[in-house]
């Protein structure tokens, strides 16, 4: 175990350019030394010879006084201290080491907090007990360092290691999120209160109408994200399901029910959880071979992953974990697993609604139109999905099947249960903030302008509601002017002066 050398001077590492030449340490050094077949962490650690300490998007640069000794134990201690917990790396490392090596690792400093963390992670991840007696003294220490990553507000004392287990998940599903400046700022602003303060200032009747419009708008947006233009009936059907978000328990039966609502025509589709491989991407136009952008979890892993996801959600809800962070972990975890042949994207976005409502971020019955904001930021959405999917493609071995699907040849379950959900959480918080600051206010503002225009048309022309709606739609479509066709056909009764007056009022109400 101790024959490995970790110190590695680099300026570029696996295609990632360092901000300066330095010594790679921590998780990056361990990945290189043990040839671990996993994606690189979003941020790597580097020791600078220039006695400078700073961070960039992909690097944490530290001074020579932080440099760890050239041993696995000291590299792991450094990583836990400065880089947080990487469950995927620990799982792959423990599988590379022998049980005796792991036991020796823990015994180097048996009372040390980092030894105890390594010991706990070994037994938790491998679900296997090392032949080491329980500790009978020492203070309890939190497993997840809250200064680096978001842990569960409720921890469970594990007296064997004198560890407070505050992992925000279960062994079968536990994405972690780093405590970035952006996320901390969003949490401190308390967007839920910001939303409530805004909504409380709107009269109830207007809010109810806005909610109804937003419900349908969000439903259509969720289809549009998938490149589909749904019939009005299909959009209404899905909007009713979204309107129930948070009212039912989240379990496998509920997930299957939602797929049945999403998929209108099941003639050519096998419903339920996949019984074969899955991928997102294209097919070669000549050979029809798959060209994956994302490879889904293996079908034989789905039950374990979905059970883990549901149990983790239950744990997050009961522990009062931040609702938006919880939604990011669960909803993006679901879409990465991709358990169905079709319908994954819409249900992934439904889960955001469900969790925000169930965890009382959004009022049950008042739709929080997150899909509308995602559609407005569709390029960022694709980037945040690809930031997970694309690095994985290098580590998933697969072959095409006879029916032009993919068959995964190696073990991949850990990629879907132990991932870094930080970028997904930041994106979701951006969308939540955009929904509060723009999407909902814009809809309310539109309805207020519509009511003012309608009141004018009622008072002056005693125009029926149906005609009012048609007139306003024509004006919107033609930049505030009635088309010649509308003047000659639908509104032939209006005089030229009346048309000018109507167009002027439209400008006052809608363009001011």
């Amino acid at each position: 175990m101790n024959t490995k050398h970790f110190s590695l001077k680099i300026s570029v590492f696996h295609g990632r350019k360092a901000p300066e030449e330095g010594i790679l340490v921590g998780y990056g050094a361990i990945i290189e030394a043990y040839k671990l077949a996993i994606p690189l962490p979003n941020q790597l650690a580097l020791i600078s010879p220039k006695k400078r300490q700073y961070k960039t998007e992909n690097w944490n640069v530290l001074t020579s006084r932080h440099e760890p000794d050239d041993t696995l134990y000291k590299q792991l201690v450094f990583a836990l201290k400065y880089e947080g917990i990487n469950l995927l790396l620990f799982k792959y490392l423990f599988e590379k080491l022998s049980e005796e090596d792991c036991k020796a690792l823990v015994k180097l400093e048996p009372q040390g907090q980092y030894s105890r963390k390594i010991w706990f992670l070994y037994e938790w991840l491998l679900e296997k007990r090392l032949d080491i007696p329980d500790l009978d003294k020492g203070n309890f220490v939190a497993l997840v360092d809250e200064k680096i990553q978001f842990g569960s507000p409720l921890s469970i004392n594990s007296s064997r290691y004198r560890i407070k287990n505050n992992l925000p998940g279960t062994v079968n599903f536990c994405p972690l999120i780093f405590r970035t400046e952006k996320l901390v700022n969003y949490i401190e602003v308390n967007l839920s209160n910001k939303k409530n303060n805004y909504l409380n200032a709107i009269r109830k009747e207007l809010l109810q109408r806005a909610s109804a419009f937003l419900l349908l708008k969000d439903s259509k947006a969720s289809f549009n994200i998938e490149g589909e233009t749904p019939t009005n009936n299909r959009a209404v059907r899905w909007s009713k399901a979204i309107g129930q978000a948070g009212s039912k328990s989240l379990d496998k039966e509920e997930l299957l029910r939602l797929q049945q609502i999403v998929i209108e025509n099941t003639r050519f589709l096998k419903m339920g959880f996949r019984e074969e491989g899955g991928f997102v991407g294209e097919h070669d136009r000549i050979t029809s071979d798959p060209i994956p952008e994302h490879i889904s979890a293996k079908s034989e892993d789905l039950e374990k992953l979905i059970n883990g996801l549901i149990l983790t959600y239950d744990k997050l809800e009961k522990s009062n974990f931040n609702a938006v962070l919880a939604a990011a972990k669960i909803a993006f975890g679901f879409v990465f697993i991709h358990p169905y042949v079709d319908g994954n994207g819409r249900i992934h976005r439904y889960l955001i609604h469900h969790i925000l409502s169930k965890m009382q971020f959004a009022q049950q019955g008042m739709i929080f139109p997150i899909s509308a904001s995602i559609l407005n930021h569709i390029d960022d959405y694709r980037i945040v999905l690809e930031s997970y999917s694309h690095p994985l493609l290098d580590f998933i071995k697969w072959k095409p099947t006879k029916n032009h699907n993919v068959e995964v040849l190696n073990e991949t379950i850990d990629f879907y249960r132990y991932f870094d959900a930080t970028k997904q959480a930041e994106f979701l918080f951006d969308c939540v903030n955009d929904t509060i600051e723009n999407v909902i206010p814009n809809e309310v503002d539109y309805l207020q302008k519509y009511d003012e225009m309608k009141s004018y048309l009622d008072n002056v022309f005693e125009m029926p509601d149906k005609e009012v709606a048609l007139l306003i739609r024509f004006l919107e479509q033609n930049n505030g002017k009635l088309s010649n066709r509308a003047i000659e056909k639908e509104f032939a009764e209006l005089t030229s002066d009346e048309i000018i007056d109507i167009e002027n009022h439209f400008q006052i109400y809608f363009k001011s």
Side-chain angles (χ1 to χ4, degrees):
M1 181 179 69
N2 290 319
T3 58
K4 297 275 184 187
H5 290 288
F6 297 90
S7 296
L8 183 67
K9 186 175 282 188
I10 57 134
S11 55
V12 177
F13 182 63
H14 289 218
R16 187 183 297 183
K17 191 176 186 304
E20 61 178 88
E21 188 177 67
I23 298 170
L24 183 73
V25 290
Y27 288 134
I30 294 167
I31 288 171
E32 183 66 16
Y34 286 91
K35 307 301 178 193
L36 301 181
I38 60 173
L40 293 180
N42 287 330
Q43 195 171 68
L44 294 169
L46 188 75
I47 300 298
S48 167
K50 299 176 182 176
K51 298 182 180 179
R52 297 193 300 176
Q53 188 169 340
Y54 58 94
K55 288 186 179 183
T56 68
E57 183 182 356
N58 296 125
W59 295 91
N60 182 12
V61 182
L62 297 163
T63 66
S64 55
R65 70 182 180 85
H66 298 96
E67 185 176 353
D69 293 342
D70 199 34
T71 67
L72 174 59
Y73 177 71
K74 290 299 184 181
Q75 295 289 337
L76 285 172
V77 168
F78 172 93
L80 288 168
K81 189 173 182 180
Y82 296 106
E83 300 179 86
I85 292 175
N86 187 320
L87 292 173
L88 183 64
L89 182 143
F90 270 104
K91 181 73 183 293
Y92 273 65
L93 176 65
F94 290 147
E95 288 175 343
K96 281 259 186 179
L97 300 175
S98 70
E99 191 171 324
E100 284 304 310
D101 282 342
C102 293
K103 190 173 164 184
L105 204 60
V106 171
K107 285 189 164 185
L108 286 170
E109 291 179 359
Q111 294 291 335
Q113 63 164 307
Y114 298 109
S115 292
R116 288 184 278 147
K117 289 184 179 187
I118 295 166
W119 181 16
F120 176 92
L121 288 170
Y122 178 91
E123 296 192 354
W124 189 81
L125 287 165
L126 270 57
E127 300 182 86
K128 189 162 63 173
R129 191 177 173 93
L130 287 171
D131 183 21
I132 299 175
D134 295 359
L135 292 179
D136 57 3
K137 62 179 180 179
N139 295 331
F140 281 83
V141 61
L143 183 66
V144 177
D145 185 343
E146 286 279 358
K147 295 192 296 293
I148 301 175
Q149 292 163 302
F150 291 97
S152 171
L154 290 181
S155 61
I156 299 170
N157 282 350
S158 295
S159 56
R160 172 165 166 77
Y161 329 87
R162 316 295 284 182
I163 285 285
K164 292 180 179 179
N165 176 13
N166 60 340
L167 282 169
T170 61
V171 71
N172 282 322
F173 188 80
C174 192
L176 291 171
I177 298 173
F178 282 87
R179 187 177 286 272
T180 65
E181 184 179 357
K182 175 185 272 194
L183 291 175
V184 169
N185 288 341
Y186 271 134
I187 290 168
E188 287 178 351
V189 165
N190 196 336
L191 294 181
S192 183
N193 279 354
K194 183 178 177 182
K195 166 193 63 69
N196 290 338
N197 291 339
Y198 170 75
L199 294 179
N200 290 338
I202 300 168
R203 70 179 193 272
K204 189 174 181 181
E205 174 271 335
L206 184 63
L207 193 59
Q208 287 173 338
R209 286 170 57 212
S211 183
F213 279 110
L214 288 167
L215 194 61
L216 189 58
K217 181 176 183 175
D218 197 82
S219 174
K220 289 180 177 178
S222 199
F223 282 95
N224 294 157
I225 289 166
E226 303 297 320
E228 296 183 41
T229 305
T231 62
N232 210 49
N233 285 343
R234 195 177 180 200
V236 167
R237 194 161 63 112
W238 185 236
S239 73
K240 287 179 180 176
I242 297 171
Q244 297 171 0
S247 64
K248 299 178 183 292
S249 297
L250 186 62
D251 52 32
K252 282 195 286 189
E253 289 69 30
E254 173 65 1
L255 291 175
L256 292 169
R257 182 187 77 86
L258 290 167
Q259 192 201 24
Q260 290 167 1
I261 296 171
V262 167
I263 307 298
E264 197 168 33
N265 188 342
T266 62
R267 286 177 60 201
F268 308 105
L269 187 69
K270 188 169 178 60
M271 298 290 284
F273 296 119
R274 283 184 290 106
E275 295 177 359
E276 57 180 4
F279 76 100
V280 177
E282 304 292 335
H283 287 92
D284 185 278
R285 291 167 65 180
I286 298 171
T287 66
S288 292
D289 282 346
I291 306 173
E293 291 283 313
H294 170 80
I295 294 181
S296 313
K298 293 165 76 170
S299 58
E300 55 264 42
D301 294 335
L302 291 180
E303 184 171 1
K304 192 175 278 189
L305 286 167
I306 293 298
N307 284 341
L309 181 144
I310 290 167
L311 287 173
T312 290
Y313 166 65
D314 289 341
K315 180 175 181 177
L316 295 175
E317 185 189 342
K318 289 170 184 170
S319 70
N320 200 29
F321 196 75
N322 179 273
V324 181
L325 297 183
K329 283 157 65 84
I330 300 300
F332 280 96
F334 178 89
V335 83
F336 294 153
I337 294 167
H338 232 71
Y340 302 133
V341 175
D342 194 18
N344 297 285
R346 275 150 289 179
I347 296 170
H348 143 73
R349 290 181 290 278
Y350 171 90
L351 289 172
I352 298 171
H353 290 298
H354 175 90
I355 294 166
L356 293 183
S357 178
K358 195 78 170 174
M359 297 183 73
Q360 299 182 334
F361 181 93
Q363 298 164 238
Q364 216 273 303
M366 171 60 197
I367 188 63
F368 195 76
I370 199 74
S371 297
S373 179
I374 291 174
L375 184 60
N376 291 341
H377 301 89
I378 192 68
D379 290 338
D380 293 332
Y381 184 51
R382 290 197 182 101
I383 288 167
V384 88
L385 291 171
E386 291 168 0
S387 72
Y388 166 86
S389 298
H390 284 187
L392 273 192
L393 293 175
D394 292 335
F395 302 98
I396 298 177
K397 298 172 185 173
W398 61 276
K399 66 178 183 180
T401 64
K402 289 179 181 177
N403 63 345
H404 312 298
N405 199 345
V406 301
E407 180 186 347
V408 176
L409 304 174
N410 60 326
E411 290 300 319
T412 61
I413 188 170
D414 293 327
F415 294 145
Y416 304 93
R417 53 185 174 184
Y418 307 134
F419 61 91
D420 178 0
T422 307
K423 288 183 179 178
Q424 290 73 32
E426 289 186 334
F427 171 78
L428 186 56
F429 253 119
D430 282 341
C431 289
V432 165
N433 189 54
D434 176 56
T435 302
I436 293 167
E437 291 195 342
N438 298 304
V439 178
I440 295 176
N442 287 348
E443 188 62 37
V444 170
D445 183 56
Y446 175 83
L447 288 177
Q448 287 172 328
K449 291 174 177 177
Y450 185 97
D451 286 352
E452 290 170 343
M453 186 72 182
K454 180 180 181 301
S455 177
Y456 152 73
L457 293 170
D458 284 344
N459 291 336
V460 177
F461 302 99
E462 297 182 3
M463 195 175 285
D465 289 353
K466 183 179 176 183
E467 298 298 310
V468 168
L470 185 63
L471 177 62
I472 292 175
R473 188 161 73 248
F474 281 158
L475 289 165
E476 287 175 334
Q477 290 172 348
N478 202 36
N479 199 29
K481 299 289 183 182
L482 276 181
S483 66
N484 290 334
R485 198 208 81 164
I487 293 169
E488 291 168 5
K489 293 186 69 177
E490 288 86 354
F491 297 98
E493 297 85 356
L494 293 173
T495 68
S496 57
D497 286 343
E498 287 173 332
I499 290 168
I500 292 169
D501 195 45
I502 288 170
E503 289 174 345
N504 287 339
H505 274 82
F506 182 86
Q507 293 294 327
I508 292 168
Y509 295 133
F510 282 90
K511 302 294 183 179
S512 59

